[in-house]
């Protein structure tokens, strides 16, 4: 076990990606699984809104006839799959009772009146299926999810350099598989591969705290001549980003509480009229970056199967950028001295 942990630590590396800083790579414990590549900012994981890869710092898009397009496309595919797989791995620590009840020899059939143990077993088996789809390389996925009698596996699985879409859940044995093929695929994965997945999951932030940056997007809006700046509405911050959501912010003082006022709040980005006129002609959206510590708090509920997360701020400084790659910084706002208003 100690050797396994040491190997994983050594294999957690960083590599540079065009359009943003570095990505943090969590190397898989087996060649059967994909490595996970997650976006970062200033060396720490990036939560909330992610870099879309295809938008350049000047606001133009990488076109599909440009040489760099397919490289961006593959990186997006890898990051999209990685975020989903990372989240599924983190859920494992909150499902120990379900996994302990999981039948590893036979499928648990869903019925209207299931006992608690059966319900847990069924739920755990569904999570294992999701993990297998999320983590298996194409070569390994063909073994578990392709029926060569019915499918052209080379055609229906991702092309080289691409990864499985999170919403694309394949079932054990592949299309048209018999009950024997399905069960054989399931038992092979759960007995041979899943123990490696469980150990991998334990190495990922075992204290349930993750330092990083929360990124939010907001519309520039109309210039306020009286106040001398633009009002940035916190209510526009997306709650559908990676791992952390804006409503999970836990304020620690009165200034931070203004950011999450129940009636909605806006903060002022001060800017002279002369600068604002040129600025508004170039940019419509801004990207706000908060230095945070995320906390994993369990699951919302079994049915929703969503991680329950919150976060606190590590710094009163909000960094402001004009691009989702966070390369063009145009200012900052200090939360302790900011001008704010509520509706």
């Amino acid at each position: 076990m100690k050797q396994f942990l040491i190997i994983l630590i050594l294999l957690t590396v960083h590599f540079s990606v065009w359009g943003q800083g570095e990505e943090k790579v969590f190397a898989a414990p087996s060649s059967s699984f994909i490595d996970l590549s997650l976006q970062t900012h200033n060396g720490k994981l990036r939560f909330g809104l992610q870099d879309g890869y295809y938008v350049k710092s000047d606001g133009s898009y990488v076109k599909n006839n440009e040489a760099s397009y397919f490289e961006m496309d593959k990186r997006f595919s890898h990051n999209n799959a990685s975020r989903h797989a990372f989240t599924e791995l983190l859920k494992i620590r909150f499902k120990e009772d379900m996994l302990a009840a999981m039948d590893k020899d036979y499928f648990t059939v869903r019925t209207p009146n299931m006992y608690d143990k059966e319900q847990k077993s069924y739920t755990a088996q569904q999570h294992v299926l999701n993990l297998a789809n999320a983590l298996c390389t194409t070569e390994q996925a063909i073994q578990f999810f392709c029926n060569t009698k019915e499918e052209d596996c080379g055609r229906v699985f991702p092309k080289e350099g691409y990864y499985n879409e999170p919403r694309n859940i394949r079932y054990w044995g592949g299309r048209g598989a018999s009950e024997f093929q399905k069960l054989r695929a399931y038992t092979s994965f759960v007995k041979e591969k899943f123990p490696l997945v469980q150990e991998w999951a334990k190495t990922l932030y075992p204290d349930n705290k993750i330092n990083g940056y929360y990124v939010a997007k907001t519309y520039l809006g109309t210039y306020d001549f009286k106040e001398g700046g633009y009002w940035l509405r916190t209510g526009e911050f997306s709650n559908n980003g990676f791992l952390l959501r804006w409503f999970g912010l836990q304020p620690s003082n009165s200034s931070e509480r203004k950011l999450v006022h129940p009636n909605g709040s806006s903060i002022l980005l001060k800017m002279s009229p002369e600068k604002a006129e040129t600025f508004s002609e170039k940019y419509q959206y801004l990207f706000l970056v908060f230095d945070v510590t995320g906390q994993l708090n369990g699951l919302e509920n079994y049915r929703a199967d969503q991680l329950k997360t919150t976060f606190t701020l590590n710094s009163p400084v909000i960094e402001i950028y004009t691009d989702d790659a966070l390369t063009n910084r145009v200012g900052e706002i200090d939360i302790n001295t900011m001008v704010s208003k509520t509706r």
Side-chain angles (χ1 to χ4, degrees):
M1 177 61 184
K2 289 183 178 179
Q3 184 178 8
F4 179 86
L5 291 172
I6 293 172
I7 291 173
L8 278 181
I9 292 170
L10 291 175
L11 290 178
T12 300
V13 297
H14 292 77
F15 70 90
S16 181
V17 178
W18 179 91
Q20 62 158 344
E22 295 181 327
E23 290 201 0
K24 187 171 184 177
V25 177
F26 298 85
S30 164
S31 59
S32 299
F33 308 130
I34 65 171
D35 295 334
L36 306 186
S37 180
L38 300 180
Q39 295 179 14
T40 68
H41 177 62
N42 290 342
K44 296 193 292 186
L45 288 184
R46 172 174 174 164
F47 307 118
L49 185 78
Q50 298 290 287
D51 180 357
Y53 292 101
Y54 304 98
V55 183
K56 300 178 183 179
S57 58
D58 62 0
S60 64
Y61 287 84
V62 178
K63 299 178 181 178
N64 57 13
N65 60 355
E66 292 185 39
S68 61
Y69 176 81
F70 288 105
E71 186 63 28
M72 293 300 101
D73 206 37
K74 291 176 181 179
R75 285 171 175 168
F76 175 81
S77 175
H78 191 188
N79 180 253
N80 193 33
S82 296
R83 284 184 280 117
H84 173 65
F86 183 76
T87 303
E88 291 299 308
L89 283 169
L90 292 179
K91 290 178 184 177
I92 288 179
R93 68 196 63 188
F94 303 115
K95 294 186 175 182
E96 291 182 356
D97 59 333
M98 285 183 277
L99 292 170
M102 183 176 68
D103 191 331
K104 297 180 180 180
D105 296 307
Y106 301 101
F107 290 122
T108 301
V109 180
R110 186 174 187 176
T111 61
N113 301 308
M114 301 177 74
Y115 291 106
D116 182 63
K117 184 177 180 180
E118 293 175 327
Q119 181 65 57
K120 289 179 177 179
S121 177
Y122 176 81
T123 303
Q125 287 182 355
Q126 294 306 301
H127 190 199
V128 169
L129 177 63
N130 288 336
L131 281 163
N133 273 276
L135 291 172
C136 283
T137 62
T138 297
E139 182 179 1
Q140 188 67 79
I142 288 174
Q143 177 183 336
F144 295 118
F145 303 117
C146 183
N147 178 9
T148 54
K149 296 179 181 179
E150 296 282 339
E151 298 179 272
D152 177 1
C153 303
R155 181 177 60 84
V156 299
F157 280 76
K159 297 178 181 179
E160 184 177 355
Y162 287 88
Y163 297 78
N164 188 43
E165 287 282 338
R167 64 177 179 272
N168 185 23
I169 300 298
R170 302 184 182 90
Y171 293 94
W172 301 113
R175 187 178 63 190
S178 68
E179 63 270 33
F180 303 101
Q181 290 173 303
K182 293 176 183 177
L183 186 59
R184 188 160 50 246
Y186 165 69
T187 55
S188 294
F189 180 85
V190 79
K191 293 178 181 180
E192 298 172 14
K193 304 297 181 182
F194 189 57
L196 294 175
V197 173
Q198 287 182 292
E199 293 303 320
W200 188 13
K202 291 177 182 178
T203 68
L204 300 175
Y205 303 97
D207 62 352
N208 292 328
K209 291 185 178 181
I210 312 177
N211 289 324
Y213 289 91
Y214 178 86
V215 182
K217 179 181 178 180
T218 187
Y219 183 61
L220 187 61
T222 303
Y223 186 79
D224 188 327
F225 286 93
K226 182 178 179 181
E227 296 293 341
Y230 289 100
W231 289 106
L232 308 179
R233 295 177 56 190
T234 61
E236 294 178 351
F237 295 175
S238 171
N239 283 322
N240 297 318
F242 173 49
L243 204 63
L244 302 182
R245 290 161 178 79
W246 180 247
F247 59 72
L249 171 60
Q250 306 296 296
S252 62
N253 55 51
S254 58
S255 296
E256 293 179 6
R257 281 193 286 273
K258 293 177 183 177
L259 292 171
V260 289
H261 194 280
N263 294 332
S265 62
S266 298
I267 55 179
L268 184 69
L269 172 60
K270 296 181 181 180
M271 189 179 297
S272 68
E274 295 76 20
K275 181 179 179 180
E277 183 172 8
T278 304
F279 191 83
S280 63
E281 291 174 354
K282 294 179 63 178
Y283 308 110
Q284 291 183 309
Y285 296 96
L286 293 176
F287 300 86
L288 279 61
V289 180
F290 301 80
D291 186 349
V292 304
T293 294
Q295 177 73 46
L296 307 177
N297 301 311
L299 299 175
E300 293 288 351
N301 56 65
Y302 288 162
R303 185 180 296 275
D305 196 30
Q306 296 291 321
L307 275 176
K308 187 187 301 181
T309 60
T310 55
F311 67 95
T312 55
L313 301 181
N314 298 327
S315 168
V317 177
I318 307 172
E319 302 175 358
I320 301 175
Y321 296 82
T322 60
D323 61 323
D324 66 355
L326 309 182
T327 61
N328 186 29
R329 179 169 172 166
V330 293
E332 63 181 44
I333 296 175
D334 190 316
I335 295 171
N336 292 327
T337 58
M338 69 182 178
V339 178
S340 65
K341 66 177 182 179
T342 58
R343 290 188 297 179

